[in-house]
Amino acid sequence: MSFRLITQELQELKPTEPTPVLPVKPSQSAKYIFSIILLAFLLIISYPIALYILLHCSTSQFQRGNFSASLACAKLSSGLSRLVPQASPYLVVSRQLSETLVLANQFASHSLPYLQSFFGRGQSPASDTTDLSFTLSRLIDSLAFLQASLQPLPRLTPLLARVNAARTLIQKISPLIASLPELLSLNGKSTTLLLLQDSTELRPTGGFLSHIALLSLDSGRLTNVQIYDTATTDSQLRGQVSPPVDLARATGESSWFLRDSNWDPDFPSSAARAIWFVNKELSLSPDRVVSLNLGTLVELLSMVGPLQLSELNLTVTKQNFFSQYLAHPDILFSFYQHFFDQFRALNSSQLSRAVGIIINSLESRQTLITSTVWSGEVAPSTCRSALPCLNHYFYAVSSNIGVNKTNMFIQPIAQLAVQIEPTRADFQYQVDFTHTSSQTNWPSGHYKNYLRLYLSPQSEPDAVLINGQPAPDYYVTAERGLVVLGVLIDTPPATTTKLTVRWHQPLVLSSRFHYQLDIPNQPGQSPYPLTVTVTYPQGWFATTAATPTLASAGLLQYNQPLSRPLRFDIDFAKNDN
């Protein structure tokens, strides 16, 4: 652990043992001096141990949501770190880490009342979040100083990685604080539409929309949760709504309903369509939309469960949920009702840990919220460099249209190759879909996947192959300034289907430019291996922000799971001689 390394370094600061001298009869003053030296020696030995214990206490209690205990340990370690001069960079890190933990606990303690009030416990917090934003700003600055102090210390690289991740997360939370009065409806009443998506039947924003929940909020409190089955609400739709062209093409449906309202992978667009359907079917107009995948709810069962579904004589836990669900597909409505009832009864410690799971779900795009930094827009990022930018975007979106739960059994493996030349970029995407089930009946069966690839503007498709043969049909359209290629892939049980897509893009490059490639992950999709290879002329010079798995003249390769959005930033300098 990183704190142990700090402790070891602090222990190396203790003085060398004194040179032996001839024994003399100790006087009273000599005994006094000896006692002082012994006490100092013991303090030098115990100081790093005490510091380590307090830092460990603070971090472990913080992770458990015990903010008062964590804050007490952090304050003690901060005070202890000030007792001696900052003679070592490890002492500097210890002091800065203590102060950062103090601020983190203050922020968490000030945030907790909003959650407690939301679930009807305690007084409603102030709608003015200025103090909360100020504490968060100080925490961001403290993390930046800690980050700078850790960078020259290679032995503390694991701690630096955690600090980097914490700083990135806190920076994303910052704009959410200003939105708290609106999101929690601190100054009035509002309705939140919760899309409960079944990720075992993958759809663009996370899963098949079998259920929704309407959350009623009043002055920062959750006053009511109403669960609806979309099959029931869709039966109340009057008239016929024509579906999008590609939805009709993929499914053969001639009408559009709430259950398919999340067909657009751009979440703000799907959210607006879901609000429209809810208004038409239930005569309600929600104020905001949140998507929540079944996988996130199951992860939260570690805090909430086990759930006793007494009306079905079933008990569901985090470990057995999916097996129970596939054996009893009618449990979802009952599961959602019991889940929200029990979630509202969580204590402060459980709520804090649940918030950690939800924040991780937001960071990994498994949960989306309209009008926030987690809104799930489909759009390339702005240039992240002062150099001229070559900005590439690639987003693979799967839609299970087979009316089954085959995503439980599909294991994708993908490779994306980018070849950059002075006047052209060539791309090849290859993905293998392996069906691990041999069962042909429900919940398994054929994996019918309508796959859409969202590509950079001016992309021109060259070939679409399925198992090495030209695809019988594929479709190229444009959405939000991006090129969209759609193709239907059918993978029978116990087989592997290989899709290969090639395309190119004309380029005009300057002698020095910044290349960035953004690859979002699809909500609801389980993480899968992705290899990204970037090749370029060997006379060019490349500087990459992320450490490649493989690097050679004219080649950079990255191997990592697609579990959250990936960003690749490379600065190129062309040799024009």
Side-chain angles (χ1 to χ4, degrees), residues 386-399:
L387 292 172
C389 246
L390 173 58
N391 194 347
H392 281 156
Y393 184 82
F394 177 79
Y395 187 21
V397 180
S398 290
S399 298

Side-chain angles (χ1 to χ4, degrees), residues 335-480:
F335 165 73
Y336 290 137
Q337 286 187 315
H338 285 273
F339 177 90
F340 286 110
D341 287 343
Q342 206 150 317
F343 193 86
R344 297 171 71 176
L346 295 181
N347 59 38
S348 297
S349 177
Q350 291 171 321
L351 270 178
S352 300
R353 284 179 283 168
V355 167
I357 293 173
I358 292 172
I359 288 176
N360 183 66
S361 180
L362 288 165
E363 280 293 277
S364 58
R365 285 172 47 89
Q366 301 306 317
T367 296
L368 302 171
I369 307 175
T370 52
S371 302
T372 68
V373 292
W374 294 292
S375 62
E377 292 180 329
V378 174
S381 300
T382 56
C383 184
R384 297 187 285 268
S385 173
L387 292 172
C389 246
L390 173 58
N391 194 347
H392 281 156
Y393 184 82
F394 177 79
Y395 187 21
V397 180
S398 290
S399 298
N400 181 352
I401 59 171
V403 195
N404 55 31
K405 308 301 177 184
T406 47
N407 288 99
M408 292 282 294
F409 314 110
I410 299 299
Q411 294 182 351
I413 299 177
Q415 301 89 35
L416 176 63
V418 183
Q419 182 176 351
I420 302 175
E421 298 292 343
T423 61
R424 172 181 170 123
D426 287 285
F427 303 83
Q428 176 174 290
Y429 178 65
Q430 181 174 297
V431 57
D432 293 355
F433 293 102
T434 299
H435 199 320
T436 61
S437 173
S438 59
Q439 301 298 315
T440 58
N441 56 315
W442 196 97
S444 182
H446 281 235
Y447 179 44
K448 296 182 179 180
N449 176 16
Y450 186 74
L451 179 68
R452 282 172 284 175
L453 304 181
Y454 285 74
L455 312 175
S456 300
Q458 298 183 317
S459 295
E460 300 179 19
D462 297 316
V464 179
L465 308 175
I466 297 178
N467 294 327
Q469 300 299 317
D473 292 297
Y474 67 89
Y475 309 92
V476 180
T477 56
E479 294 179 23
R480 285 175 288 276

Side-chain angles (χ1 to χ4, degrees), residues 77-98:
S77 64
S78 179
L80 185 61
S81 66
R82 296 172 183 270
L83 293 179
V84 298
Q86 305 294 291
S88 161
Y90 293 91
L91 282 171
V92 173
V93 165
S94 298
R95 180 172 176 175
Q96 290 180 341
L97 180 58
S98 300

